[in-house]
Structures are given as structure tokens and as C-alpha cells.
Amino acid sequence: MWEIIAKLDQLRDEACLGGGQHRIDAQHRRGKLTARERLEALMDPDSFEELDTFVEHQCTDFGMDKTHVAGDGVVTGYGTIYGRRVFVFSQDFTVFGGSLSETNARKICKIMDMAVKVGAPIIGINDSGGARIQEGVASLAGYAEVFQRNVLTSGVVPQISAIMGPCAGGAVYSPALTDFIAMVKGSSYMFLTGPDVVKTVTHEEVTAEQLGGAVTHTTRSGVADFAFSNDLVLLKQLRRLFSFLPSSNREPPPRIDIGDDPKRHDLSLDYLIPNDPQRPYDMKELIDKVVDGGDFLEIQAGYAKNILIGLARMEGYTVGIVANQPMVLAGCLDIASSVKAARFVRFCDCFNIPLVTFVDVPGFLPGMQQELGGIIKHGAKLLFAFAEATVPKVTVITRKAYGGAYDVMSSKHLRGDLNYAWPHAEIAVMGPKGAAEIIFRNEIRDSEDPAAKLQQVTEAYAANFANPFIAARKGFIDDVIMPHDTRRRIIGGLRTMAGKKMELPWKKHDNLPL
Ligand code: HXC
């Protein structure tokens, strides 16, 4: 009897060695943890239960029948993060370069199916040479099985991808279909075609890092959401991200109350807006001062910086924050920022996360580049996302809310639940100067001193129209609030709207302007 038990231990120990000690050492030399070490760092201590440890590939071509490694290059199973259930897979680069075989894909699909059945998030750790070349189309079929599940699972349970090594070719599409992508600087990359193919086809010489490294994807392409300095930091931050999320679309996110007073005033907010309306201020300062403990998990912090998105808590409940950033492009909406925020708004709406929107937007960014790039269609994505969202929506206009961008940024007209404005708010079709130049064009032209006339009519326009009270008189703004009282008013709004129920008209699905 004891021999059988000892044999099991021995087989498990062998499986844990993956492709062998020398390949584990090579992984470490590159500053990378192994598949199992990563799961240890990600999950609660001793919570991980591995499944399919002894699964092997079925391939007999190219001498593969003589090379079997238990587990076949991916570690799968379940466990907990902060006590909440999660399903995970972690590709093992030490076994056939973590490449995806038919059986390896089946293991991943198994835990995905289990996660959907019980309503628990899925975290995938990617470190793979792509399709198992020896298996050919069987491997491609495996990828497609994973993709299909990524799609069906989207909006049902949160899906998170960590890119911690190579992720190339069609393999990139599984992470791309998930809700969040985190990468490690210097040791991970994602691209459809690598530097060699790029050189052959377009004669461009680029490194893997330039083409698809963490910095590229978090600052240039917008493909990834987070870039971290090493494996351990990434895994620790994934735990933090996880703490904000619900387990599924049928549950609210967990409440984590750190005891920050919901009525806390911050008098410094009364001085946040500069006297000169053309001067920027840092919207992050407002977010930090309003949310619980200043704990704001910014998402896509390095990309389309003219809009801020991220997760925070108010009175312990997770909220999704969307905010124009006057420090970058004066907070204008452009293609990149519209798409960035639209996807986030839809994520929050899928997963019962109320939206808190801070508005200081002088409009959509003008120019050939924007128009030819399709700002009409891309801007419509953000409008669509806010308009269809049925979670509680609380909006605060801090300063400018001009033109179409006023409508788009979670306005009352897009079923905003509570829309507040600070006393400095200017809610108008356009800025006072532009408006005065159009409606007083003749008076300015005929004046002896056109510059002085322009200034005079601009000031008159601003005094009469660039304020929050016209909108407030129409009920488009529910109240004009003191900046220092913003936290209390937002929390009051969220409390009031908790449990909000709203149905969309029956449809198969909508037709978002893609
Ligand atoms: C089988 C693979 C493999 C693969 C790597 N290995 N990729 N085995 N299928 N796709 C094996 C290697 O043979 C090697 O085995 C071990 O993994 C480590 O690989 P190295 O090349 O030694 O490592 P490194 O120098 O770090 O290079 C990593 C790499 C390189 C850049 C990923 O291995 C590579 O270019 N691999 C091929 C990538 C590729 O073309 N994949 C197919 C893409 S197409 P030994 O025994 O020597 O240790 C694709 C389509 C997906 O994925 C479509 C989905 C729809």
C-alpha cells in the first residue's frame, strides 16, 4: 500500500519538474518564475489544487511518441485569492516551450467550463512558443476551442490574462478576448508576426521589445492594460485587481470597507480649479481625494492619457471611474480615449460595477487625423457604452462640458442617475470665445476695436451662459454641489441607486459601432 502512495508522490514530484531542472534554471536566469511558482505567488497560500497533472499529449509524429511530460506544458486548476474561488492556467515554458497542443488546450477548456458553471473568474498565465508545431492543425483547433470559450465567457465571469513570456501569432487572440491584459517589462511580448517576418515583408528592422513589448502595448497600441517590472510585482498586482472584481455577472463585487468616513470633506478641492479656465489641473488629485483611502487602481495609465479609467471603492463598494484629464490635450476626447473608456464602461456594466464619471471636456479633438481616423465612429462607441449601461451612474461636471462631449460623458440624457456640477462648471455648446466669435461676428467685424469687442462679448457670453445654472434650471443637472462635499454626494447617490433595476429592450445583441 505504502509503495503505491510513494509512487504517486514520486510521479507528482516528477511532474512538478516539468521540462527538467536545466530548463527551470534557464527560466530563472531570464528573471522568470516557473509556471507553478507563478501560481504560488498568485493564489492564497496552499489553496491551489492542480487538475490533470498526469495528462500527456497524444501526438506520434516527429518522434513525439518518445517524449512525454506529465501535464503537457500547462498547469491548470483552481484555488482562492483573498478567499474567493478562481480558476487558473499557467503555461509551462519548460515543456515544449509552453506550446499549445490538443490535450493542453483541452486542459485549459476544462477549467474554463468549470469556472462558468460555478461563476468564478479565470486567470490565464501565458508563456508559450504558440501552436505545438509537431501537432499542426490539431493545435490550431485547440486554440479555436479556447477562443470560442473566451467569447462565450465574456461578460459572464471576469477573464484576466498575464503575459509573462512569448505570446505570438494567433495565440495573442485568447488574451485579446479577455477583460484585462497585464505584461512584464523586458520579458514578455505579444505580436502577430515577429521581427523576422516584419523584416522580410516590410523591411522594417525592429526588436521584439519594440514590436510587442510591455511598454509598446501599454503606451502605443493600447492592447495591454498594465506593465509591471517583474513577475512577482505583476502577480501581486493581479491580486489587487481581483479584489475589486465580482466573481461573476450574477454577483456584486465584494465589499471591502477600510473605514474611510463617507461624509469626509476635503476643503482643498474648493481650490482645485485654477482661476484661468485655460489652465489645467490634475484630475487624479480629485479622484485620489474622493475615493476610499485614495486607493485608485488606474487601468491603461500610459495610453490615451487624456482620459483616466480605473477601479476604486466608495464606502467599501467597487466603482468604475471615468474622468477627463485636463493635463493632456486639455481633456479633449479623441479616438484613442473614446475607445479606451468605452471598453471600460462596458466592462463595468457587464459586472455590476457602478460608474462615477468626472467631466472636464472642451469637446472632441479637431483635425484631419481624427476625422480621417474615424472619430465619428469611435466617439460613438463611448456614447453607446454610456447610453446602454444600466448600472448606477453618478456624474460630476467639474469645469467644462461642451458640445457633443457634454452629451457623451454620462449626461442626464443618457440615463445618468445623479448628475452634479461644481459651481465653476461651464455647460454650453462651445467655449465662450468660440461662441461669441460666431454669434457676434458682425458686431466684432464692424467694431472700431475688434479685439476689445471680442473680449467684451466673450465675457458677457461667459457670464450669462458658461455656468451650471441654466442646465440646473432645466433639471439636466440634479444639483450644483460644493467641491469639498463631492465624496459625500457621490456616496449618497450610489447608496440611493443601489439595487437599481433596468432592462434593455429585447434583442439578440446590439450593434456597437465597431
Ligand atoms: C513546439 C516549441 C515551440 C512550438 C518552442 N518550442 N516553441 N516546441 N512547438 N511552437 C520548444 C523548442 O523546440 C525548445 O525545445 C523549447 O521549446 C524552448 O525553445 P527555445 O527556442 O530554445 O527558446 P527561446 O530561445 O527562448 O525561443 C523562444 C521562442 C522560439 C521565440 C518562442 O522557441 C520560437 O520562435 N518558437 C517557435 C514559435 C512559433 O513559430 N510558433 C508557432 C507560431 S504560429 P528544446 O527541447 O530544445 O528545449 C502559432 C499559430 C497559432 O502559434 C494560431 C492560433 C489560431
Side-chain angles (χ1 to χ4, degrees):
M1 188 63 178
W2 283 114
E3 278 169 21
I4 297 171
I5 289 172
K7 176 83 178 158
L8 175 62
D9 280 343
Q10 182 205 329
L11 289 175
R12 221 177 267 288
D13 289 346
E14 279 171 20
C16 286
L17 275 179
Q21 192 59 47
H22 65 289
R23 289 194 181 86
I24 292 176
D25 294 342
Q27 182 87 343
H28 287 160
R29 276 197 299 277
R30 293 175 173 173
K32 291 161 66 177
L33 299 175
T34 63
R36 285 185 176 78
E37 287 166 346
R38 286 168 174 165
L39 291 176
E40 237 168 74
L42 175 67
M43 320 280 275
D44 293 340
D46 299 326
S47 76
F48 178 60
E49 299 286 351
E50 188 171 341
L51 301 175
D52 287 339
T53 311
F54 304 111
V55 162
E56 294 179 355
H57 69 75
Q58 320 271 306
C59 179
T60 52
D61 295 322
F62 305 105
M64 287 295 278
D65 47 340
K66 297 181 193 66
T67 328
H68 289 275
V69 179
D72 199 32
V74 65
V75 183
T76 58
Y78 59 87
T80 58
I81 294 179
Y82 295 124
R84 288 164 58 216
R85 188 168 44 185
V86 58
F87 286 79
V88 288
F89 69 86
S90 180
Q91 293 175 327
D92 184 350
F93 191 79
T94 70
V95 179
F96 307 118
S99 56
L100 189 122
S101 68
E102 190 178 4
T103 44
N104 173 309
R106 225 178 272 147
K107 286 180 63 173
I108 295 175
C109 291
K110 185 191 272 186
I111 59 108
M112 292 180 82
D113 292 342
M114 290 172 83
V116 171
K117 272 187 224 164
V118 300
I122 300 164
I123 300 181
I125 297 177
N126 295 261
D127 185 359
S128 162
R132 176 88 46 92
I133 294 166
Q134 295 89 336
E135 292 204 12
V137 70
S139 164
L140 301 185
Y143 269 117
E145 293 284 343
V146 176
F147 299 159
Q148 179 67 64
R149 281 166 178 77
N150 286 136
V151 172
L152 294 179
T153 304
S154 180
V156 180
V157 299
Q159 303 181 78
I160 301 171
S161 299
I163 314 296
M164 307 186 78
C167 182
V172 295
Y173 281 117
S174 176
L177 293 166
T178 64
D179 298 303
F180 297 105
I181 298 180
M183 297 182 74
V184 183
K185 289 184 200 166
S187 60
S188 71
Y189 52 83
M190 295 177 82
F191 38 66
L192 274 169
T193 48
D196 295 344
V197 178
V198 169
K199 190 174 175 200
T200 310
V201 177
T202 69
H203 309 296
E204 293 165 294
E205 292 217 24
V206 283
T207 63
E209 191 62 30
Q210 289 166 328
L211 191 62
V215 173
T216 298
H217 284 313
T218 50
T219 61
R220 304 282 299 276
S221 73
V223 164
D225 301 285
F226 306 98
F228 297 112
S229 53
N230 62 46
D231 282 21
L232 275 177
V233 175
L234 182 148
L235 296 162
K236 199 164 165 240
Q237 289 300 319
L238 281 197
R239 288 176 62 85
R240 182 173 171 223
L241 170 64
F242 186 88
S243 76
F244 284 99
L245 306 181
S247 291
S248 77
N249 60 353
R250 289 165 194 269
E251 288 178 39
R255 181 168 186 225
I256 301 174
D257 190 1
I258 59 161
D260 195 352
D261 182 0
K263 296 191 175 134
R264 175 171 56 76
H265 279 175
D266 195 316
L267 292 172
S268 70
L269 290 178
D270 293 343
Y271 304 96
L272 182 68
I273 305 290
N275 287 333
D276 177 355
Q278 307 311 326
R279 283 207 29 219
Y281 60 94
D282 189 357
M283 188 62 97
K284 259 189 227 170
E285 192 181 329
L286 166 57
I287 297 170
D288 289 346
K289 286 178 172 168
V290 163
V291 303
D292 288 2
D295 184 16
F296 175 51
L297 175 59
E298 192 176 351
I299 296 164
Q300 297 208 344
Y303 178 74
K305 293 181 184 178
N306 43 331
I307 207 154
L308 300 163
I309 57 169
L311 297 161
R313 293 187 184 87
M314 304 284 285
E315 222 185 358
Y317 297 104
T318 300
V319 292
I321 306 264
V322 180
N324 308 113
Q325 171 57 289
M327 304 273 283
V328 181
L329 293 175
C332 273
L333 287 174
D334 61 354
I335 294 170
S337 59
S338 299
V339 175
K340 168 179 164 180
R343 181 158 165 78
F344 179 67
V345 167
R346 284 166 66 84
F347 171 79
C348 291
D349 193 45
C350 285
F351 289 110
N352 315 314
I353 298 174
L355 288 161
V356 176
T357 306
F358 296 107
V359 182
D360 188 348
V361 63
F364 280 95
L365 185 67
M368 274 288 275
Q369 203 192 3
Q370 290 292 310
E371 296 289 351
L372 296 190
I375 181 67
I376 295 174
K377 193 164 265 192
H378 298 296
K381 289 178 180 150
L382 183 54
L383 193 166
F384 201 111
F386 272 126
E388 75 173 346
T390 56
V391 288
K393 294 188 277 194
V394 177
T395 304
V396 180
I397 300 175
T398 58
R399 188 167 62 173
K400 298 171 191 173
Y402 292 160
Y406 154 73
D407 278 341
V408 168
M409 289 298 296
S410 199
S411 64
K412 197 79 192 159
H413 325 289
L414 302 183
R415 306 188 301 183
D417 292 304
L418 285 157
N419 290 62
Y420 299 122
W422 282 7
H424 329 71
E426 303 169 19
I427 305 169
V429 173
M430 58 172 67
K433 186 161 170 278
E437 277 169 346
I438 292 172
I439 57 181
F440 299 111
R441 184 185 299 153
N442 294 342
E443 288 92 327
I444 295 166
R445 187 192 56 212
D446 299 339
S447 156
E448 283 176 10
D449 183 349
K453 184 69 186 169
L454 174 62
Q455 193 180 343
Q456 181 217 329
V457 290
T458 300
E459 279 168 14
Y461 182 91
N464 284 325
F465 297 104
N467 62 62
F469 297 103
I470 297 171
R473 281 202 287 274
K474 291 183 184 296
F476 300 159
I477 291 296
D478 295 299
D479 203 0
V480 180
I481 64 170
M482 291 301 284
H484 67 253
D485 207 17
T486 303
R487 172 174 164 83
R488 186 182 71 83
R489 297 302 297 262
I490 293 173
I491 288 175
L494 292 170
R495 257 190 217 165
T496 304
M497 296 315 297
K500 173 183 171 188
K501 291 234 172 339
M502 206 172 198
E503 299 277 317
L504 294 171
W506 186 91
K507 54 179 99 175
K508 187 173 172 196
H509 57 71
D510 57 42
N511 188 14
L512 179 78
L514 291 174

